[in-house]
Amino acid sequence: MTQTLSQYLDAAKLPISPELNRLILAMAASCAELSDIIGTSSLNNLQGALDQENVQGEVQKKLDVLSNELFIQPERWHGTVAGIASEEMDTLIQVDAKGDYLLIFDPVDGSSNLDVNGTVGTIFSILDAPKTGADLTEADFLRPGSEQVAGGYVLYGPETQLVLTFGQGVAIFGYHRHKNDWFLIRDQVQIPVSTREFAINASNHRHWHPPVRRYIDECLAGKDGVRGTDFNMRWLASMVGDVHRVISRGGIFMYPSDTRPNVSNGKLRVLYEANPIAFLIEQAGGAAINGPDRILDQMPGKLHQRTSVILGSREEVERVQSYFREA
Ligand code: AHG
Ligand code: MN
Ligand code: MN
């Protein structure tokens, strides 16, 4: 077998502190636990929804809540994490005043897939904690994505995989259940610059803004249209799953804002979803925008802020960006 995650983190070429090293290992161990819980969820009566909503008005699944409870156990992060913000919590929680980092996550992404045994994931983002010694406030988490010190996701698919960046390229690890360890699969992953495959929830076509409609309509026209070539389409309804395909073989993923009142700023969240995924995509040579502008340059105004998301193979993302700038 190849390098373990721990061996990879110890390699001198990475600019990471011993605390960040421990934090990543703790995140990977927590996700390995969650992988086992998800992998036996029907057998343990852990599927289905609870009769409650999160702060964003979304019905919570049993596993949304259970996974969040798993990730916020303070003993996991002792000496590394000062505070946590999660998609499933109203506000931040303080963890360890001596921690150097802020941990931000979407514990289960794509949770509508849980009940159909489809792909889901965990997305995480890590920022430097302020060194003031004062209690944390929400404002401490409101940093542009370009300031992330690490970002990644774990995909609970046929194989459980960790995709990770520290701003020096992207590496993919596979979780070996019997050995209870993570092993390097690919390092310095690069997304193909060109693609002929798009991912968008096309049932929202009538709600899209003109630049999105123009781009997708041109793809759909295929060989007979201005693009002069046929396109393929995929949509898993799990950002982690769709993004993993883009990272693996190229493509463009879009969840744009549209004319529906509850999607006027997009559906995906800046801190828990867009920033860490945009960090990975850029580190793999792709591009990530909100329409006219780069996602990682956005300054979030609140913890649960949403954003339009368009990312993947550089040529196609730049084409969509030019349509937004012309409009
Ligand atoms: P979450 O399960 O964390 O709420 O995120 C679901 C997101 C994302 O993973 C996916 O791309 C998108 O919602 C799917 O939305 P639609 O059901 O509107 O297609
Ligand atoms: Mn999500
Ligand atoms: Mn979620």
Side-chain angles (χ1 to χ4, degrees):
M1 285 257 179
T2 56
Q3 233 178 0
T4 63
L5 173 63
S6 167
Q7 289 165 343
Y8 174 89
L9 296 174
D10 286 338
K13 61 178 182 172
L14 282 177
I16 63 171
S17 66
E19 290 75 25
L20 183 55
N21 188 321
R22 275 202 290 136
L23 168 46
I24 295 296
L25 289 176
M27 190 70 206
S30 306
C31 291
E33 276 179 51
L34 182 56
S35 173
D36 283 337
I37 293 170
I38 288 172
T40 52
S41 53
S42 293
L43 298 171
N44 290 316
N45 190 26
L46 291 175
Q47 296 222 327
L50 294 166
D51 190 17
Q52 67 186 49
E53 293 180 348
N54 64 16
V55 66
Q56 300 157 81
E58 296 160 339
V59 172
Q60 287 182 302
K61 304 271 183 183
K62 288 182 189 170
L63 277 166
D64 283 326
V65 173
L66 194 138
S67 60
N68 193 67
E69 283 168 0
L70 181 151
F71 285 119
I72 64 174
Q73 291 166 349
E75 58 274 17
R76 291 180 189 274
W77 316 112
H78 197 71
T80 63
V81 170
I84 291 176
S86 159
E87 183 186 278
E88 300 299 340
M89 299 192 299
D90 298 2
T91 187
L92 66 100
I93 52 172
Q94 320 264 347
V95 182
D96 181 346
K98 289 195 278 302
D100 286 333
Y101 299 100
L102 302 179
L103 176 61
I104 301 168
F105 52 76
D106 175 358
V108 176
D109 173 65
S111 54
S112 73
N113 278 351
L114 285 167
D115 296 338
V116 298
N117 198 17
T119 300
V120 294
T122 297
I123 310 175
F124 60 93
S125 163
I126 298 168
L127 293 169
D128 282 320
K131 301 278 184 290
T132 56
D135 277 358
L136 293 172
T137 66
E138 287 194 9
D140 294 320
F141 289 77
L142 304 181
R143 309 301 314 158
S146 55
E147 293 186 13
Q148 292 170 101
V149 296
Y153 64 78
V154 169
L155 172 91
Y156 309 105
E159 187 170 1
T160 292
Q161 295 187 357
L162 164 68
V163 183
L164 182 63
T165 187
F166 297 98
Q168 301 221 335
V170 174
I172 303 181
F173 302 84
Y175 176 60
H176 196 302
R177 264 169 228 286
H178 301 153
K179 296 182 194 290
N180 188 23
D181 209 345
W182 299 82
F183 294 89
L184 184 65
I185 298 171
R186 287 169 69 193
D187 199 2
Q188 296 300 329
V189 178
Q190 284 290 307
I191 299 171
V193 175
S194 306
T195 182
R196 293 291 170 262
E197 190 165 80
F198 65 87
I200 192 166
N201 185 339
S203 70
N204 298 318
H205 184 279
R206 69 190 187 286
H207 306 299
W208 293 340
H209 294 302
V212 174
R213 212 183 269 224
R214 174 182 170 191
Y215 175 74
I216 296 296
D217 286 351
E218 287 177 1
C219 292
L220 293 174
K223 272 202 184 80
D224 306 328
V226 292
R227 301 299 305 269
T229 182
D230 290 337
F231 281 74
N232 189 30
M233 196 205 84
R234 289 284 185 273
W235 185 251
L236 296 181
S238 154
M239 187 195 205
V240 165
D242 281 310
V243 163
H244 195 70
R245 185 185 57 260
V246 168
I247 285 183
S248 302
R249 71 177 186 206
I252 179 168
F253 167 90
M254 309 171 78
Y255 209 117
S257 60
D258 62 38
T259 58
R260 289 173 291 169
N262 58 342
V263 192
S264 59
N265 292 314
K267 175 177 184 187
L268 301 171
R269 280 122 310 201
V270 177
L271 291 178
Y272 318 109
E273 293 162 320
N275 276 350
I277 298 288
F279 192 20
L280 289 165
I281 292 285
E282 285 198 3
Q283 284 296 314
I289 58 171
N290 58 16
D293 301 311
R294 184 177 177 233
I295 284 177
L296 294 181
D297 288 337
Q298 289 185 144
M299 185 67 192
K302 56 179 185 182
L303 222 44
H304 296 290
Q305 184 167 320
R306 297 175 191 265
T307 180
S308 192
V309 172
I310 296 158
L311 53 77
S313 293
R314 180 165 291 280
E315 280 180 5
E316 294 302 304
V317 174
E318 285 173 354
R319 175 180 281 268
V320 178
Q321 186 172 34
S322 74
Y323 291 2
F324 271 94
R325 290 186 169 173
E326 279 171 36

